[in-house]
Amino acid sequence: ALRPAWLEINLARLRDNVALIRQHAARSSARPPLLLGVVKADGFGHGAVEVSRAILSAGASHLAVAAVGEALELRRAGIDAPILVFGQRAPDELADCVRHALTVCVNDAEIPAALSRLASGQGRTVKIHLKVNTGMNRYGVAPAEAVRLALVLQALPRIELEGFFSHFVMSDAADPSFSREQLQVFRGIVAALAQRGVRPPLRHLCNSGGFLNFPEAHFELVRLGLLPLGWLPSPHVPPVAGLAPVMTLKARAA
Ligand SMILES: *Cc1c(COP(=O)(O)O)cnc(C)c1O
């Protein structure tokens, strides 16, 4: 070490936090959602492998990362839970996604068609989650195009349209109005999909702020990054009683 200073990561506290979050979810929704732990950026600097193992052992069922390389690190460590990879894939990343049973986010027809061909070649099925852009403007199919695209995806061989999701822009803000608009757009597409017989079993919209502020938006799954680590995203969310930071910075005093 360069200096007598270090970070301590308390994995027991992490497991306690997940238990508290699950209790919170059970109190706020009649059918509590599954928990997906977002462990991108090396688990927000806490160690992705260790954090993943701890949150899965405490009852989370899914993981998500932002890059294929991050997902492969988890697979190499022996983690076989479902892993969703956020964002846009490049064509040369798809073979690894199929081989390592990663769940791929999609917002067009080209990447899924390529996945379908690769999966057929490998004798596998690939799970995909269709993302709709309800306001974040970073990634996602336009709401007006979502149903048409979902019908195309659902017809692809060896592709399972498991998820349908979106992302809140400011679910931790004091003013809930934009989040409510996003929820309304999301619900509208869910209904339109159902009318056409498309019912992805995992619908998800909430990050940590959304989870705390909008219990009506929990659907089947919530994607939590900061919260299990013991951080609240802003002062404008109801706290979870007992939640505490997992990371402590320590240094030896001179
Ligand atoms: C980072 C991220 C999350 C987690 O957000 P938190 O506010 O840390 O809970 C959820 N969903 C997506 C798409 C993300 O990129």
Side-chain angles (χ1 to χ4, degrees):
L2 289 173
R3 290 172 174 274
W6 62 95
L7 286 175
E8 276 183 16
I9 308 298
N10 185 335
L11 295 174
R13 185 172 286 164
L14 176 54
R15 290 190 293 270
D16 289 346
N17 284 347
V18 173
L20 292 166
I21 290 165
R22 291 178 73 196
Q23 287 163 19
H24 184 94
R27 275 195 302 274
S28 39
S29 337
R31 276 181 300 152
L34 297 169
L35 299 190
L36 175 149
V38 180
V39 295
K40 62 194 178 189
D42 197 25
F44 294 77
H46 293 63
V49 169
E50 292 80 3
V51 166
S52 296
R53 287 197 182 117
I55 57 182
L56 290 168
S57 76
S61 54
H62 291 67
L63 300 170
V65 291
V68 173
E70 294 181 301
L72 298 186
E73 183 195 359
L74 301 179
R75 286 286 185 256
R76 274 196 296 274
I79 294 171
D80 59 9
I83 303 174
L84 181 61
V85 189
F86 290 145
Q88 180 68 39
R89 297 280 63 76
D92 64 3
E93 296 178 312
L94 301 180
D96 270 339
C97 293
V98 177
R99 194 173 305 122
H100 296 280
L102 307 182
T103 306
V104 183
C105 292
V106 304
N107 69 356
D108 62 24
E110 285 75 39
I111 295 287
L115 282 170
S116 172
R117 289 191 292 275
L118 284 164
S120 301
Q122 295 189 24
R124 295 169 183 266
T125 299
V126 180
K127 290 181 174 164
I128 59 172
H129 287 208
L130 172 59
K131 186 167 194 184
V132 60
N133 175 19
T134 56
M136 184 78 189
N137 297 330
R138 180 171 71 179
Y139 183 80
V141 65
E145 304 291 323
V147 173
R148 201 163 53 98
L149 178 57
L151 290 169
V152 171
L153 301 180
Q154 186 161 262
L156 287 171
R158 301 240 169 217
I159 293 291
E160 179 186 343
L161 180 55
E162 179 192 50
F164 177 69
F165 77 111
S166 191
H167 193 56
F168 277 130
V169 178
M170 35 193 268
S171 57
D172 56 1
D175 179 356
S177 48
F178 192 70
S179 296
R180 290 203 203 293
E181 281 175 37
Q182 288 189 271
L183 175 57
Q184 207 176 346
V185 172
F186 189 75
R187 281 211 182 106
I189 303 170
V190 164
L193 287 172
Q195 258 174 17
R196 307 293 298 269
V198 185
R199 291 183 179 80
L202 298 180
R203 299 167 298 175
H204 45 110
L205 182 55
C206 287
N207 53 359
S208 293
F211 171 74
L212 294 170
N213 277 334
F214 304 99
E216 69 275 27
H218 284 180
F219 296 97
E220 287 79 30
L221 185 85
V222 292
R223 309 184 304 266
L224 306 182
L226 289 175
L227 202 59
L229 301 171
W231 304 112
L232 296 179
S234 87
H236 309 294
V237 296
V240 178
L243 208 75
V246 165
M247 177 186 277
T248 316
L249 175 61
K250 295 194 173 175
R252 202 169 63 219

